[in-house]
Amino acid sequence: MAVITPTGGTNLNAVPAPVKQTLATNYLSFTGGANDWSQQYLPDLYEAEVERYGDRSIASFLRMVGAEMPMTSDQIIWSEQGRLHLTYTGALNTTSGVVTIANSGTHAVRVGQTVKLKGGSSGKVANAYVSAIAADNTTLTLKRYDKALFSTAPAFTNSETVTIFVIGSEFAKATNGMTGAVTPSFKSFTNKPIILKDKYEISGSDASQVGWVEITGENGQSGYLWYLKAEGDTRTRFEDYLEMSMVEGELAASGSGAAGVTGIGGSEGLFAAIEDRGHVTAGVDGNSATEDLADFDEILKKLDTQGAIEENMLFVNRDVALNIDDMLAAQNSYGTGGTSYGVFSNSEDMALNLGFSGFRRGSYDFYKTDWKYLNDITTGGAFTNIRGVVVPAGTSTVYDQTLGKNIKRPFLHVRYRASEADDRKMKSWTTGSVGGATTSDLDAMEVHYLSERCLVVQGANNFMLLN
């Protein structure tokens, strides 16, 4: 009779042992050999995936402060009002009373108006009557109200730079009316949308693989199919890209490398808009509570010169948030170091609140919020150049050149491409032959994401960047 020898050796099958002990002959070994699985003994398995970073998405800022509106063009154009009253600077001749305007021919002062002027070096202040204006609109002849000449005490310094603004007018009896008119000015701004894309791909075999770990995700996906989490993470990451590109975006400068790529031009984001048309401060740096409060006073003075919008939101990183808390706590004289923030009956079960969500200074209200984007070490928190932004609350009135009328819009809002034919706010579709898709013979599932959008920052002069 022929002898059959197993190719796997004599220990191909487990051999029962007559005694209660662990032997290599009566237990399958998973710790070595070509058929290694995991280990000899089954571990105590935690099925649920540990969310050690909490909610990992950083997209929340624009949802809190802005709005989203459709658009049907490759360009957004809006106009913002100019100032109602303007000031001018020029060099004063104290003998003739002639002021040579700094920017030749750009002023709107007219004969018959009264002006107030202040010397830049002498600090003297006087009211004057505009008696003549040169034909080329470059000089004004002023007649001082309180003295004969500008060299008369209190004297201005000859050729010093003076600041002038119109306070009214005065005409004699039976004279003609005002000569010339002032046409309101406005500034026009523009931005363009960018197209953002991403893709997730998984083979049919991997999509059918059941895992041992139960997964969860920011978008609510759960189960034992790992590709559900991978696709959900890709979608969440793409949604974060949508916000980060609106915050950090930049227009490609003429002659830049990006401008040389066909079809690529960039888009103006929040930070770029504030740096270009808003204000930047290095204040609230935590050197001292007194200094930080003085920094806020400077912010108030700057806001006074702009729209004077009373309610503003502070979106800041952890350092600035703590600096503001310490600044406000130091204003309390009831406790050493500001540990007592008010009069209350303390108890052992009471938690002391060492943080502030808002405060009022002068006529302005500030509401403080931690901006996760600036604290996340894998995104904006990896850099220290931007520490926060001051965003005005409410809406602005602007002239929409597409609609041809004044409209109210949030200062900060996203415009996305959409029409009856296609909505490109946030598109996603599946291709391949897996997961219900039958668009090709590819043995895989491809999930595509696309959006076309831009950010509109209206009234950027009311915003402030902390860097």
Side-chain angles (χ1 to χ4, degrees):
M1 182 174 67
V3 177
I4 300 176
T5 302
T7 58
T10 58
N11 194 31
L12 179 63
N13 299 312
V15 179
V19 294
K20 295 181 178 180
Q21 57 183 331
T22 301
L23 301 173
T25 58
N26 64 355
Y27 276 85
L28 294 176
S29 175
F30 300 131
T31 58
N35 296 323
D36 177 23
W37 288 1
S38 175
Q39 58 185 17
Q40 183 171 351
Y41 303 103
L42 184 66
D44 189 358
L45 180 65
Y46 286 90
E47 294 187 8
E49 184 184 28
V50 178
E51 301 177 18
R52 62 173 177 171
Y53 293 115
D55 185 356
R56 296 167 298 165
S57 174
I58 52 87
S60 61
F61 171 72
L62 292 179
R63 288 197 295 264
M64 294 177 62
V65 302
E68 293 184 331
M69 306 170 191
M71 58 180 289
T72 58
S73 177
D74 286 333
Q75 189 178 29
I76 289 291
I77 301 176
W78 72 95
S79 303
E80 298 181 6
Q81 294 177 342
R83 289 187 179 273
L84 191 61
H85 301 284
L86 299 176
T87 59
Y88 306 97
T89 58
L92 172 66
N93 185 311
T94 56
T95 302
S96 63
V98 172
V99 176
T100 303
I101 300 299
N103 296 321
S104 178
T106 59
H107 70 85
V109 182
R110 293 165 289 172
V111 173
Q113 290 186 317
T114 54
V115 298
K116 193 176 190 72
L117 66 158
K118 178 181 179 180
S121 57
S122 66
K124 304 302 180 182
V125 177
N127 289 356
Y129 175 81
V130 181
S131 62
I133 297 177
D136 58 1
N137 211 34
T138 58
T139 62
L140 311 174
T141 301
L142 305 181
K143 302 297 182 182
R144 189 172 175 175
Y145 271 93
D146 59 338
K147 300 291 180 180
L149 300 172
F150 286 95
S151 57
T152 306
F156 287 75
T157 302
N158 190 42
S159 298
E160 73 171 320
T161 299
V162 294
T163 300
I164 299 173
F165 70 94
V166 177
I167 61 174
S169 61
E170 184 178 1
F171 289 88
K173 293 180 179 180
T175 57
N176 293 328
M178 180 71 74
T179 301
V182 176
T183 301
S185 63
F186 64 87
K187 291 186 177 181
S188 182
F189 301 96
T190 181
N191 202 4
K192 59 175 289 294
I194 56 174
I195 300 174
L196 297 98
K197 296 181 180 181
D198 207 339
K199 184 182 77 171
Y200 170 72
E201 181 177 357
I202 185 172
S203 69
S205 297
D206 291 340
S208 304
Q209 184 79 24
V210 177
W212 294 107
V213 177
E214 182 180 6
I215 55 90
T216 58
E218 280 75 12
N219 287 335
Q221 68 274 17
S222 62
Y224 291 90
L225 296 176
W226 192 258
Y227 83 91
L228 291 177
K229 177 176 180 59
E231 190 278 331
D233 284 358
T234 303
R235 179 182 293 269
T236 301
R237 188 184 306 112
F238 182 70
E239 292 173 350
D240 285 352
Y241 289 159
L242 298 185
E243 176 160 310
M244 288 190 290
S245 61
M246 298 296 96
V247 171
E248 297 277 8
E250 183 178 357
L251 286 167
S254 177
S256 65
V261 181
T262 303
I264 301 300
S267 184
E268 185 183 59
L270 174 64
F271 294 160
I274 298 177
E275 290 177 344
D276 182 40
R277 310 192 303 275
H279 308 282
V280 178
T281 177
V284 199
D285 53 10
N287 286 339
S288 69
T290 302
E291 182 180 325
D292 286 343
L293 188 61
D295 291 337
F296 262 102
D297 290 345
E298 292 301 316
I299 293 176
L300 303 189
K301 294 176 184 178
K302 181 59 68 175
L303 295 179
D304 284 340
T305 66
Q306 305 303 313
I309 298 172
E310 294 187 356
E311 291 189 349
N312 295 270
M313 294 172 285
L314 293 163
F315 292 88
V316 295
N317 66 6
R318 177 61 56 212
D319 288 340
V320 176
L322 295 177
N323 293 343
I324 294 175
D325 288 343
D326 292 342
M327 174 194 75
L328 297 176
Q331 310 310 312
N332 184 8
S333 60
Y334 292 99
T336 303
T339 56
S340 173
Y341 292 171
V343 179
F344 56 86
S345 299
N346 198 6
S347 69
E348 61 184 8
D349 298 326
M350 180 176 290
L352 181 62
N353 185 1
L354 296 176
F356 295 87
S357 60
F359 64 97
R360 184 176 181 86
R361 180 69 171 171
S363 59
Y364 293 91
D365 292 313
F366 294 94
Y367 305 98
K368 175 171 64 69
T369 300
D370 292 332
W371 192 355
K372 188 175 181 180
Y373 171 67
L374 296 181
N375 289 326
D376 193 317
I377 195 62
T378 61
T379 56
F383 302 84
T384 59
N385 59 319
I386 302 295
R387 299 181 297 124
V389 293
V390 180
V391 179
T395 60
S396 62
T397 300
V398 297
Y399 181 79
D400 190 304
Q401 296 191 3
T402 302
L403 300 177
K405 62 180 180 180
N406 286 331
I407 56 175
K408 285 186 178 295
R409 290 282 187 268
F411 284 99
L412 205 60
H413 58 274
V414 173
R415 301 296 299 268
Y416 60 89
R417 290 291 289 269
S419 68
E420 295 180 357
D422 194 20
D423 188 340
R424 299 166 70 84
K425 178 180 179 180
M426 172 59 182
K427 292 184 61 176
S428 64
W429 66 96
T430 304
T431 61
S433 62
V434 177
T438 56
T439 60
S440 71
D441 61 355
L442 176 67
D443 184 20
M445 177 177 66
E446 295 181 334
V447 184
H448 303 263
Y449 312 96
L450 180 146
S451 181
E452 187 172 1
R453 57 181 55 208
C454 69
L455 183 69
V456 175
V457 184
Q458 294 179 345
N461 59 299
N462 296 288
F463 289 71
M464 188 166 294
L465 194 65
L466 281 65
N467 67 4

